[in-house]
Amino acid sequence: MSTEVDLLKLPALLVLLLVHSLYELFLRLLLGFSWARRKLGTVQRRLVLHNETEAEYSTQQMRFEDDVIQYDVRGLDKIPSHLVVMLGPEQPDYKQLARFISWSMAAGVGHVSFYDHRGFLKRNAYLIKNFAKRQPFAKTDQIVWTHQLKKGTVPLRNGYHRLVVVSCFSPEDGKRSVVQTARAISDQLTTGSVASPSDITAELVDQRLQDQFHHIPDPELAVYFGSVCSTYGMLPWQIRLTEFLPLGARMQDVKPSHFVSCLYRFAKCEQRFGK
């Protein structure tokens, strides 16, 4: 009789055991979820604090770099009026390239251009612009982007203490612009706007090209990464007197010291102007 009673109680015991097991599993899952949520909150707070600290350090670092550059170049006899940063096989690091704008402004370089023979920089100039906006420029500093200027217009200082004009070039701005200029002069020779072939001088060609490029001066210094020097078809008319100097570092490793070193070497260069 007792055996039959025990058998009748067995399903109830199994149900109670199952309910107890499920309840214990629920408690463990609840405790695990609470622990994970607290852990995630701690990690998020650490990330926020790290990002705020990194941003503050980055701003202080950039201001310090500008001060150091201003101090280092104060004794140089000449500073390039137009600096070109050239890319060869490197992939663009837009954040790193934007630093050249800040460094150039600190050194007193009035025009900075970026040249990429694949055209990435020109197509994505807005990326450099976005990173340049994060630089700690003063309210009296101004950056003028030539791709936003109307054809034939010249950048004006407009009361700003420091001004740097930024351009992005690709091969289409090189030989193609020279060919287009030659065709235009040839058409003017046909219509009589240019009186005779003797009136076609280097100064005339230079003036027409200047009109296309907002009258920015010809590059005086071009810097490149790595050890291989190649013009990659960059502005063949405008680089007749340009000095090409290696930065001595990869793009991701370049520092203000590499930039200043190029300025010092440029200051020692003697331009012979075809002698």
Side-chain angles (χ1 to χ4, degrees):
M1 186 70 180
S2 60
T3 304
E4 293 179 359
V5 173
D6 292 339
L7 291 174
L8 292 174
K9 292 181 179 180
L10 185 59
L13 292 174
L14 291 175
V15 171
L16 289 175
L17 181 61
L18 178 61
V19 171
H20 177 74
S21 300
L22 291 175
Y23 179 71
E24 185 177 359
L25 178 61
F26 171 75
L27 289 178
R28 289 180 179 275
L29 290 174
L30 183 62
L31 291 173
F33 175 76
S34 299
W35 176 86
R37 185 173 60 179
R38 290 195 302 271
K39 192 70 174 177
L40 180 60
T42 302
V43 172
Q44 288 177 336
R45 287 192 295 271
R46 288 179 178 175
L47 286 174
V48 170
L49 179 61
H50 172 74
N51 290 336
E52 290 178 350
T53 305
E54 183 178 353
E56 181 180 357
Y57 171 78
S58 180
T59 300
Q60 293 177 351
Q61 175 74 7
M62 287 186 289
R63 287 175 177 167
F64 176 74
E65 289 177 354
D66 288 356
D67 291 340
V68 170
I69 291 174
Q70 289 185 46
Y71 181 83
D72 286 344
V73 303
R74 71 194 190 284
L76 294 181
D77 294 331
K78 61 177 181 178
I79 295 289
S81 60
H82 186 181
L83 167 74
V84 178
V85 181
M86 298 180 58
L87 265 68
E90 305 87 5
Q91 293 298 318
D93 183 337
Y94 298 98
K95 181 179 180 180
Q96 188 76 330
L97 292 173
R99 298 175 71 189
F100 280 91
I101 300 175
S102 176
W103 296 346
S104 297
M105 183 175 285
V109 179
H111 298 78
V112 180
S113 297
F114 299 95
Y115 179 80
D116 174 22
H117 62 99
R118 294 161 297 185
F120 293 153
L121 292 180
K122 189 171 183 178
R123 290 193 297 269
N124 301 305
Y126 69 95
L127 293 175
I128 300 181
K129 186 176 181 179
N130 289 341
F131 282 112
K133 289 180 179 178
R134 305 178 188 180
Q135 305 288 326
F137 294 112
K139 293 182 179 180
T140 55
D141 297 337
Q142 183 186 26
I143 302 176
V144 176
W145 302 85
T146 55
H147 70 273
Q148 295 180 334
L149 294 174
K150 294 181 180 179
K151 186 176 181 179
T153 57
V154 181
L156 301 176
R157 186 173 294 274
N158 291 331
Y160 287 94
H161 177 62
R162 299 191 303 180
L163 169 70
V164 63
V165 180
V166 182
S167 307
C168 291
F169 294 125
S170 66
E172 67 181 9
D173 300 303
K175 293 181 180 179
R176 183 180 300 181
S177 65
V178 175
V179 171
Q180 291 174 347
T181 299
R183 287 176 178 173
I185 294 176
S186 176
D187 292 340
Q188 291 176 345
L189 184 63
T190 302
T191 59
S193 299
V194 176
S196 67
S198 61
D199 294 328
I200 303 176
T201 61
E203 289 75 14
L204 175 63
V205 176
D206 188 65
Q207 181 61 43
R208 298 297 172 84
L209 289 172
Q210 286 284 326
D211 292 340
Q212 293 186 34
F213 293 106
H214 306 285
H215 295 271
I216 63 176
D218 291 344
E220 292 185 327
L221 173 62
V223 296
Y224 57 92
F225 306 94
S227 57
V228 178
C229 179
S230 174
T231 64
Y232 292 100
M234 181 188 75
L235 305 176
W237 181 271
Q238 291 89 340
I239 61 173
R240 304 183 303 277
L241 301 174
T242 304
E243 295 289 342
F244 289 82
L245 296 175
L247 283 160
R250 299 178 301 173
M251 185 184 305
Q252 62 269 31
D253 299 327
V254 70
K255 298 178 181 178
S257 58
H258 300 110
F259 174 76
V260 172
S261 176
C262 285
L263 295 183
Y264 267 80
R265 282 179 284 164
F266 170 78
K268 296 178 181 179
C269 292
E270 180 181 355
Q271 293 179 310
R272 300 183 179 276
F273 301 99
K275 292 182 179 179

